[in-house]
Amino acid sequence: MPLHRLTHIVMGVPNVEQTAAYYTEFGLIPADTPAGPAGGDAASAGRRTFATVDGGEQLTIVHSDLRRLVRLGIGVDDPDDLDRVAAGLAALEVPVERGDGSVTAADPGTRVTVRVEVAGRVAQDPTPAPDYNAPGVIVRTDERAPGILREQPVRPRKLGHVVLGSTDREGSQRFFTHGIGFKVSDEVSDIAAFMRCSTDHHNVLVQQAPVAFLHHTSWQVNDVDEVGRGASAMLAGDPSRHTWGLGRHYIGSNFFWYLKDPAGNFSEYYSDLDCIVDDAVWKPGVWEGARSLWAWGPPPPASFLAPEDLGALMAGAHQAS
């Protein structure tokens, strides 16, 4: 497909330095650069940038009175793809800003500015397949499992997806599909749409909400051992970060563990997500009930389904408007 990945997100939070320290511990790589001709570094300017192992600089944290996703970057291969995106948005009567190598537009439902840009594709070195013993299949003998011997910190390989609350889910879905060019992988009846701009099962999920907000960001790691190791290390630093996990989703099939950053956003370690390389083979489903959330693991806490600061976000958004 002409779209091929999420390139970068800008996250707005009231507490930049606290949140930046969290994502450093989470395993993202600080990539701050000088703030400008006045001198000083990005941290002193209230702006922090982080990279993943394979995706390059993929997260910037800036100050905002309310936590939110400020901007979402999407990669395409060439300028012809930008022409198609601009035409799709124009058909929806969405104002478009055309730049050098980019198209920018805002989705009213999620209040996110989306920048579609010509960008290189992510190249990932293959992760060696772990040797798992199973009934009748012994592939690892006379040695301990490599997963328990790892000592290096967990480093996310790339940004996988973002989940956004929208005050107009259907409108946001049209914005991303008819306007930008995403494809729907699965839906939760009358609640949410899982959409992709790559071969990953989903890169953006929009769900109906009383206020536009960022629910979570999701970061790919090598395997389920890295999901567990990463979360365990974060919880050793602060057990109150735990939100939900370890478990396996039904939609998307991935292993997951969710934690909460100091601003109130959830962050997810994930591995083994479904990949869709042939649109003619994949059959999107419409799900409801428990299957729309998880296949196994602990049940999701109420604070995951409705974040504890949702009321404050609603009040803040009302005051700002």
Side-chain angles (χ1 to χ4, degrees):
M1 62 192 306
L3 309 178
H4 59 77
R5 69 177 176 114
L6 298 186
T7 56
H8 189 91
I9 57 172
V10 178
M11 178 192 297
V13 299
N15 47 350
V16 172
E17 288 308 308
Q18 283 182 296
T19 306
Y22 171 94
Y23 285 99
T24 301
E25 193 174 344
F26 189 80
L28 300 183
I29 305 164
D32 295 325
T33 55
D41 58 20
S44 65
R47 181 185 184 91
R48 298 293 304 274
T49 300
F50 295 87
T52 57
V53 172
D54 299 321
E57 294 184 5
Q58 293 204 279
L59 171 65
T60 296
I61 301 173
V62 299
H63 180 267
S64 173
D65 290 338
L66 298 174
R67 66 176 183 88
R68 64 192 186 97
L69 190 64
V70 178
R71 193 172 72 194
L72 173 67
I74 298 162
V76 297
D77 288 320
D78 56 58
D80 289 343
D81 300 324
L82 298 177
D83 293 338
R84 182 199 53 76
V85 172
L89 291 167
L92 295 177
E93 299 183 344
V94 174
V96 171
E97 178 184 337
R98 188 67 186 263
D100 183 15
S102 67
V103 170
T104 303
D107 169 38
T110 61
R111 296 182 60 205
V112 171
T113 297
V114 176
R115 185 173 188 263
V116 184
E117 55 198 340
V118 176
R121 293 183 176 242
V122 170
Q124 295 189 293
D125 292 332
T127 298
D131 293 329
Y132 286 133
N133 290 334
V137 182
I138 299 177
V139 294
R140 189 187 72 252
T141 61
D142 307 320
E143 61 180 346
R144 303 184 195 281
I148 69 167
L149 299 177
R150 299 172 189 168
E151 295 181 352
Q152 69 275 23
V154 171
R155 296 291 186 197
R157 300 287 297 268
K158 70 174 184 178
L159 170 66
H161 60 265
V162 297
V163 174
L164 303 168
S166 172
T167 55
D168 179 7
R169 181 192 61 83
E170 292 182 352
S172 293
Q173 186 170 335
R174 285 192 300 273
F175 175 90
F176 281 101
T177 55
H178 292 62
I180 304 295
F182 278 63
K183 296 182 179 180
V184 174
S185 299
D186 283 300
E187 294 182 81
V188 180
S189 182
D190 299 323
I191 296 175
F194 293 74
M195 299 175 290
R196 66 186 185 276
C197 65
S198 71
T199 57
D200 289 346
H201 176 273
H202 58 283
N203 301 106
V204 170
L205 186 157
V206 292
Q207 59 185 23
Q208 187 65 40
V211 64
F213 75 103
L214 171 61
H215 186 274
H216 74 263
T217 60
S218 187
W219 306 87
Q220 183 193 53
V221 294
N222 287 331
D223 54 32
V224 67
D225 280 301
E226 299 296 87
V227 173
R229 291 181 64 245
S232 295
M234 292 293 286
L235 297 179
D238 183 353
S240 69
R241 294 167 169 168
H242 173 72
T243 299
W244 185 28
L246 173 70
R248 186 157 194 160
H249 286 302
Y250 189 91
I251 300 178
S253 302
N254 53 292
F255 296 106
F256 66 83
W257 200 320
Y258 294 91
L259 305 155
K260 186 166 71 171
D261 74 22
N265 306 297
F266 301 124
S267 59
E268 176 189 15
Y269 290 115
Y270 82 89
S271 70
D272 193 24
L273 183 74
D274 290 335
C275 287
I276 302 170
V277 297
D278 189 337
D279 295 330
V281 174
W282 181 264
K283 303 301 180 186
V286 179
W287 309 95
E288 54 187 326
R291 273 193 167 183
S292 69
L293 290 171
W294 82 112
W296 58 257
S303 62
F304 181 82
L305 302 176
E308 295 171 349
D309 64 346
L310 200 57
L313 292 173
M314 293 171 63
H318 177 73
Q319 291 169 1
S321 64

